[in-house]
Amino acid sequence: MEKSIDEINRRIRDGSARVVTADEMPDIVSELGEEGALQEVDVVTTGTFGAMCSSGAFLNFGHAEPPIKMERLWLNDVEAYGGIAAVDTYIGATNKSVTRMESYGGAHVIEDFISGKAIELRAQSSGSDCYPRRSITTEVRLEDLNQAIMVNPRNAYQRYDAAVNTSEDTLYTYMGTLLPHNGNVTFSGAGTLNPICNDPNLRLIGSGVPILLGGAQGMVIGEGTQHSSAGNFATLMTTADMNDMNTDFLRAAYMYRYGPTLYLGVGIPLPVLDIETVRRTAVRDEDIMVSIKDYGVPSRSRPVLSQVSYAELKSGTIELDNEEIKTSSLSSFRRAKMVANTLKRWIEDGQMTLCLPTRYLDPSKQAKPMRETRKVVLVQEIMQRKVVTIKEDQEITEAAKKLLRGETNHLPVLDEQGRLTGVVTTFDIAKAVARPERKVKVQDVMTRNVITTLADEPIDIAAQKMEHHRISALPVVDAQNQCIAILHASDLGKLFKPGGGRP
């Protein structure tokens, strides 16, 4: 048995279509069987609600008097793109306010527009014969705009990797705050409700397909940026009119020390055409596997530590390396369910009919990494190979002498085998002299938790370590924790001299 899209739309129009949400479908298939479910169900609605950074909106403000070509412009102090036309702009969700930085950004401007708030528009221009005005400051609301069209380059990831942190530092990422030493696991996505998880081969989801986006009726434009369906990471480019949106399905947020983002509800109705559709929409959380990746490794190819299901992640704990670790979701299943239920109501009320893609998405596409034509500068290219060290059992007076010679203000401390065990600085010596209290050995005053770098580590990562820990030097160690060099903050200046590693 098969059904046509026209047959399903006729049932929607006459009010006889059976519509269910994706989390209801598995039990229906278990009860009725695949053939019975195909006969019984016409539409399965999906939904997800989570942070979708690659979002934004095209806005048209209308012409001022005298007219201005806005070359640079700010909305509530968030810079928007001025390179489209005279009074058009695109504002991205993650762009930060120049005054409030990460606590307010493009996502907040979008939410404020949808909430009906007035937004301050500031713009500058160099002026021209047809656009003589050079600056403007005004307040605008959503109702004042000619167009406010959300166009999101990347929404509704098929699934996300879960995140953990094996390093010794707390990390602040787009996957939230990750505690050191596998202190927690974060994940995102609605699992069984997630749109593409219910159509992994992209038979039903493609260009022109109607969707719910931010509470408005919109559509899929095509594949999203970084679309990589061959690896189960398909994405969608989406659009809808902001005038029809509401904040039940759209919220601005910011990730601490990462920046603004936009939480967004996206839902797609799937016509139940055949047995394959039934099988795909019967997916359960137990069937959807994700990788747990180590964000403690600052690399594009982070190590995969384990594979787990959404059912395990949603349970609140998982087991990793024989330890029980708490999990937490960055997305809202409750709001994802609200998205799916809203779609269900629209279809049952005849407010939305379905269609098949006007252009299909490539289910075999694999995203490529960036092509880099200039090599990454490594620590070994600018580190100081002549390093002054001291043994942990030496007197602090000896350390003071070495520091006073002016060759360094950081002394790596070594044990008898030459392994790095600490660092002592001029500040440590000064404290020891001010408070003697029987502190006579280097091991009594040294810093034991040493932040280090490797010779083959990119310099950007080493610089990030210095900034994060507010230190001015990093011992360079090898695989045996032998100190082979030292990198000072002043060495970074070599990169910007003629002949340095950067343009």
Side-chain angles (χ1 to χ4, degrees):
M1 174 187 173
E2 292 187 358
K3 287 182 284 189
S4 69
I5 194 73
D6 290 336
E7 181 182 350
I8 290 173
N9 281 333
R10 280 196 300 271
R11 293 182 184 179
I12 292 172
R13 285 190 287 266
D14 68 24
S16 65
R18 172 78 188 278
V19 187
V20 303
T21 58
D23 59 330
E24 297 171 326
M25 190 62 171
D27 289 339
I28 292 172
V29 175
S30 294
E31 179 185 349
L32 302 179
E34 292 178 349
E35 289 287 351
L38 176 58
Q39 186 171 356
E40 176 71 18
V41 179
D42 297 304
V43 182
V44 174
T45 61
T46 64
T48 188
F49 184 91
M52 302 191 193
C53 293
S54 190
S55 298
F58 286 102
L59 311 174
N60 179 276
F61 301 99
H63 285 288
E65 179 57 45
I68 182 173
K69 182 179 186 294
M70 299 187 296
E71 295 170 355
R72 295 195 68 186
L73 67 152
W74 296 262
L75 296 167
N76 281 357
D77 285 338
V78 178
E79 188 163 12
Y81 181 62
I84 304 175
V87 288
D88 288 324
T89 190
Y90 184 84
I91 183 162
T94 64
N95 216 16
K96 299 176 184 178
S97 162
V98 296
T99 51
R100 287 183 272 182
M101 295 307 292
E102 67 177 21
S103 66
Y104 190 92
H108 299 82
V109 173
I110 291 170
E111 182 184 345
D112 286 347
F113 265 129
I114 292 169
S115 299
K117 295 180 181 178
I119 306 295
E120 182 189 70
L121 165 64
R122 289 189 297 112
Q124 298 173 354
S125 173
S126 56
S128 66
D129 290 342
C130 51
Y131 295 109
R133 192 164 180 170
R134 293 177 181 267
S135 67
I136 189 170
T137 300
T138 187
E139 286 191 346
V140 293
R141 298 179 186 272
L142 184 61
E143 63 197 43
D144 301 319
L145 307 185
N146 289 314
Q147 283 82 32
I149 304 169
M150 183 170 284
V151 178
N152 298 337
R154 182 170 68 254
N155 282 171
Y157 257 114
Q158 183 172 353
R159 71 192 71 197
Y160 286 86
D161 292 321
V164 73
N165 170 25
T166 62
S167 77
E168 296 183 351
D169 302 313
T170 299
L171 301 179
Y172 303 97
T173 74
Y174 58 81
M175 291 299 291
T177 299
L178 299 175
L179 303 176
H181 305 297
N182 294 344
N184 65 326
V185 171
T186 62
F187 68 98
S188 188
T192 185
L193 276 175
N194 213 54
I196 302 178
C197 286
N198 284 271
D199 184 29
N201 295 328
L202 302 170
R203 298 171 65 239
L204 308 174
I205 298 175
S207 299
V209 166
I211 64 172
L212 180 153
L213 180 66
Q217 291 195 27
M219 70 175 183
V220 175
I221 298 172
E223 70 176 37
T225 54
Q226 291 182 194
H227 174 77
S228 192
S229 46
N232 296 320
F233 288 98
T235 69
L236 304 174
M237 188 175 293
T238 64
T239 186
D241 192 328
M242 282 173 54
N243 288 280
D244 299 327
M245 295 182 179
N246 69 77
T247 54
D248 287 340
F249 300 93
L250 179 149
R251 288 293 175 89
Y254 80 94
M255 301 288 191
Y256 180 64
R257 286 177 55 176
Y258 172 74
T261 187
L262 185 67
Y263 270 72
L264 191 61
V266 180
I268 304 177
L270 303 176
V272 182
L273 302 174
D274 51 25
I275 290 297
E276 183 174 348
T277 308
V278 171
R279 288 174 184 163
R280 297 302 184 185
T281 55
V283 67
R284 297 179 184 270
D285 284 333
E286 291 83 356
D287 306 320
I288 306 171
M289 304 299 293
V290 300
S291 299
I292 298 180
K293 289 197 171 181
D294 182 8
Y295 277 60
V297 177
S299 170
R300 182 184 68 237
S301 301
R302 297 183 174 96
V304 176
L305 304 185
S306 183
Q307 294 280 333
V308 295
S309 70
Y310 266 100
E312 293 174 276
L313 291 168
K314 288 181 179 180
S315 73
T317 59
I318 62 161
E319 188 175 294
L320 186 64
D321 293 335
N322 298 317
E323 290 187 12
E324 194 174 79
I325 304 176
K326 290 184 177 180
T327 64
S328 58
S329 176
L330 298 174
S331 57
S332 171
F333 186 82
R334 182 180 66 85
R335 286 186 182 264
K337 179 74 172 179
M338 185 171 70
V339 169
N341 278 327
T342 301
L343 268 177
K344 178 180 178 178
R345 187 178 68 252
W346 286 353
I347 295 167
E348 288 176 336
D349 293 346
Q351 297 178 45
M352 176 185 278
T353 55
L354 310 189
C355 72
L356 295 176
T358 57
R359 185 183 65 198
Y360 287 89
L361 308 185
D362 185 354
S364 64
K365 188 161 186 177
Q366 183 76 51
K368 298 178 289 187
M370 180 184 289
R371 177 174 180 258
E372 299 183 56
T373 58
R374 298 192 180 188
K375 68 183 184 69
V376 175
V377 181
L378 303 179
V379 168
Q380 62 193 10
E381 298 175 52
I382 62 170
M383 67 187 186
Q384 296 184 23
R385 297 178 185 275
K386 182 182 178 183
V387 54
V388 181
T389 64
I390 195 164
K391 294 292 181 66
E392 57 186 6
D393 59 353
Q394 287 186 261
E395 305 285 333
I396 60 173
T397 52
E398 186 62 30
K401 289 177 184 177
K402 291 190 175 189
L403 291 167
L404 283 171
R405 288 178 192 148
E407 298 177 31
T408 183
N409 59 0
H410 290 75
L411 286 177
V413 183
L414 311 180
D415 63 13
E416 289 301 320
Q417 288 73 42
R419 293 187 297 261
L420 182 72
T421 59
V423 168
V424 65
T425 67
T426 51
F427 183 61
D428 296 325
I429 298 299
K431 286 194 298 181
V433 171
R435 300 177 183 174
E437 301 163 0
R438 298 194 303 180
K439 293 179 180 177
V440 294
K441 301 286 186 182
V442 169
Q443 62 192 7
D444 298 326
V445 300
M446 70 183 188
T447 299
R448 296 180 180 275
N449 185 21
V450 188
I451 309 302
T452 64
T453 184
L454 303 172
D456 60 355
E457 190 166 64
I459 196 65
D460 297 275
I461 296 173
Q464 178 78 359
K465 289 180 180 179
M466 289 188 196
E467 181 181 354
H468 180 70
H469 294 281
R470 298 181 181 178
I471 54 178
S472 57
L474 293 171
V476 184
V477 297
D478 61 15
Q480 288 73 45
N481 206 36
Q482 302 275 335
C483 184
I484 60 172
I486 192 165
L487 178 72
H488 289 96
S490 57
D491 295 327
L492 300 178
K494 298 174 185 177
L495 298 173
F496 302 99
K497 293 179 180 178
R502 294 197 174 191

